[in-house]
Amino acid sequence: MDLSTGQPRPANRHWRVTGWLLAAVWLFFLNVPLATALHQPELWRRVLGVTALIAFGIGYVLLFQWARRLRQVLAPIPAGRARAGLALLLLVGLASIPGTGGDWLATLVYVAAAAVFLLPPWEALAVVVVCAVTPALASWLVPGWQAESGIVFAVLLASFAMFGVSQLAQRNSQLQAAQQEIGRLAVAEERARAARDLHDILGHSLTVVAIKAELAGRLIDVDRDRAAVEIAEVEALARAALADVRQTVGAYREVTLAAELAGARSALASAGIAADLPAEVPDLPEEWDRLFGWAVREGVTNVVRHSGARCCTVRVHPDRVEVSDDGRGPSTPDATGHGLVGLRERARRLDAVVTVGRRPEGSGFLLRVHSPAEAR
């Protein structure tokens, strides 16, 4: 299935050719009635017998291919059309009798096999039984026709083989559909991951850009030199954000705790919020250093955007990181947002725990990311 259009993807040329061969190769066993037709003394019998057998073979292959295409896309086979196709196939086989005599019974092998592939199980079983007993009944009702035990065996063997082929085709189609669904879900998950990463990266950078631009606007009539400095920092932040987006398109942006602490110091200063940040960070494994960096980024972005705080505190320990402020605190007991959803996704990969709520003092906001209790 084409994931972009939602339509079944056509089979490639190799499998189309293979499908035709699967059906056509068994027509070799029509050689006996065909030889009988070719040796008829009367011309009209020869023409009728050969023509009917050729039409029978073409009809059988077309029926098989029609049903095979439907099975490949897990579409139901219309029962009415299947019955009509089988009836027409049987009539063409019967039409060959003037040229093939009793050898027309070989066509029943193909009718039984087609019934197994096309019809529901109980209907197919009934057709197989009728095809298996017909040779014995025909030899009893029509003088000169001999009972062909080989035809009965061939009917049963072909039916059993076609049952296996139909089950295999159905399982392959189901497997292909499952693989396509897995691919579709993987694409959806990748899109969601990219959206979370872009939010985490741009949300922080654009927040700082907005604050610095606002500060520069207030300073332009008071302190032009300071305003020029802020504008220069806005330009630098915009360029950094653009570079981050470019890196994210190709792969994950490399986030480190030290870099995020430095960025947090600049963002908090621009917002006029006092920063209480650690001068040094402990030596952490790479994946934990990255996770704590994302936690600092998300926590400080929330402080700058929403808290109305005067002071922000960041504490880093070997097993946890905490970002807190003295602002208004979370609006709900379990605050959520795109940034926190992305942070929880990253924490889940390391079995870490993300806690959001108020500080122990009862006011302000606290974001904590820590290792599992059993590892602490």
Side-chain angles (χ1 to χ4, degrees), residues 288-362:
W288 285 97
D289 184 89
R290 186 181 301 113
L291 175 62
F292 285 3
W294 282 111
V296 170
R297 170 182 280 259
E298 176 61 23
V300 171
T301 299
N302 286 336
V303 170
V304 171
R305 280 181 175 177
H306 312 299
S307 70
R310 292 171 298 176
C311 179
C312 175
T313 302
V314 177
R315 293 288 179 263
V316 181
H317 304 276
D319 62 344
R320 68 187 186 279
V321 61
E322 298 176 351
V323 180
S324 61
D325 64 62
D326 60 354
R328 63 178 64 94
S331 57
T332 59
D334 185 17
T336 58
H338 291 292
L340 288 174
V341 170
L343 182 60
R344 287 191 171 99
E345 288 286 339
R346 294 182 177 91
R348 192 175 298 120
R349 295 170 194 151
L350 298 177
D351 292 328
V353 180
V354 177
T355 304
V356 178
R358 294 188 179 275
R359 296 189 304 171
E361 294 85 346

Side-chain angles (χ1 to χ4, degrees), residues 13-328:
R13 183 175 182 274
H14 168 75
W15 287 111
R16 288 198 298 267
V17 173
T18 302
W20 285 98
L21 289 177
L22 283 174
V25 69
W26 301 107
L27 296 178
F28 170 78
F29 294 102
L30 289 177
N31 64 328
V32 173
L34 183 61
T36 301
L38 290 173
H39 287 85
Q40 289 291 340
E42 299 178 66
L43 178 62
W44 73 271
R45 292 181 182 273
R46 289 201 302 271
V47 172
L48 180 60
V50 171
T51 302
L53 289 175
I54 292 176
F56 181 89
I58 293 174
Y60 172 76
V61 172
L62 291 177
L63 268 180
F64 181 85
Q65 281 295 94
W66 170 67
R68 182 171 174 268
R69 282 196 299 269
L70 291 176
R71 287 180 179 271
Q72 283 178 336
V73 296
L74 294 180
I77 297 175
R81 293 184 182 181
R83 296 188 192 103
L86 280 174
L88 182 60
L89 195 66
L90 178 61
L91 288 176
V92 174
L94 290 170
S96 70
I97 291 178
T100 60
D103 290 334
W104 81 275
L105 294 170
T107 62
L108 295 178
V109 177
Y110 300 92
V111 173
V116 172
F117 200 69
L118 293 171
L119 298 179
W122 287 110
E123 292 186 38
L125 179 61
V127 173
V128 171
V129 171
V130 170
C131 290
V133 301
T134 296
L137 290 176
S139 64
W140 180 62
L141 294 174
V142 181
W145 287 9
Q146 297 180 355
E148 291 285 347
S149 59
I151 295 295
V152 177
F153 177 76
V155 166
L156 298 177
L157 182 61
S159 301
F160 181 78
M162 187 57 74
F163 176 77
V165 170
S166 64
Q167 292 300 306
L168 180 61
Q170 183 176 0
R171 296 297 182 270
N172 286 341
S173 299
Q174 291 172 344
L175 178 60
Q176 183 181 15
Q179 291 172 338
Q180 292 166 353
E181 179 67 10
I182 290 172
R184 187 188 66 79
L185 293 175
V187 170
E189 175 60 25
E190 182 63 17
R191 288 174 178 169
R193 181 201 63 79
R196 288 194 299 266
D197 283 358
L198 286 175
H199 171 272
D200 293 345
I201 291 170
L202 290 180
H204 175 79
S205 300
L206 295 181
T207 297
V208 178
V209 166
I211 292 173
K212 284 186 173 292
E214 182 182 357
L215 178 59
R218 292 200 304 265
L219 292 173
I220 196 167
D221 294 328
V222 179
D223 188 345
R224 288 182 176 273
D225 293 337
R226 174 72 187 281
V229 171
E230 295 296 334
I231 291 297
E233 291 187 5
V234 167
E235 180 184 359
L237 283 169
R239 293 183 183 279
L242 180 59
D244 290 345
V245 171
R246 286 171 176 168
Q247 292 177 15
T248 303
V249 170
Y252 284 105
R253 177 182 181 269
E254 191 66 27
V255 172
T256 63
L257 178 57
E260 294 305 322
L261 286 172
R265 191 180 303 277
S266 173
L268 291 169
S270 299
I273 301 174
D276 182 5
L277 308 178
E280 297 181 357
V281 296
D283 187 16
L284 299 169
E286 181 180 352
E287 63 272 17
W288 285 97
D289 184 89
R290 186 181 301 113
L291 175 62
F292 285 3
W294 282 111
V296 170
R297 170 182 280 259
E298 176 61 23
V300 171
T301 299
N302 286 336
V303 170
V304 171
R305 280 181 175 177
H306 312 299
S307 70
R310 292 171 298 176
C311 179
C312 175
T313 302
V314 177
R315 293 288 179 263
V316 181
H317 304 276
D319 62 344
R320 68 187 186 279
V321 61
E322 298 176 351
V323 180
S324 61
D325 64 62
D326 60 354
R328 63 178 64 94

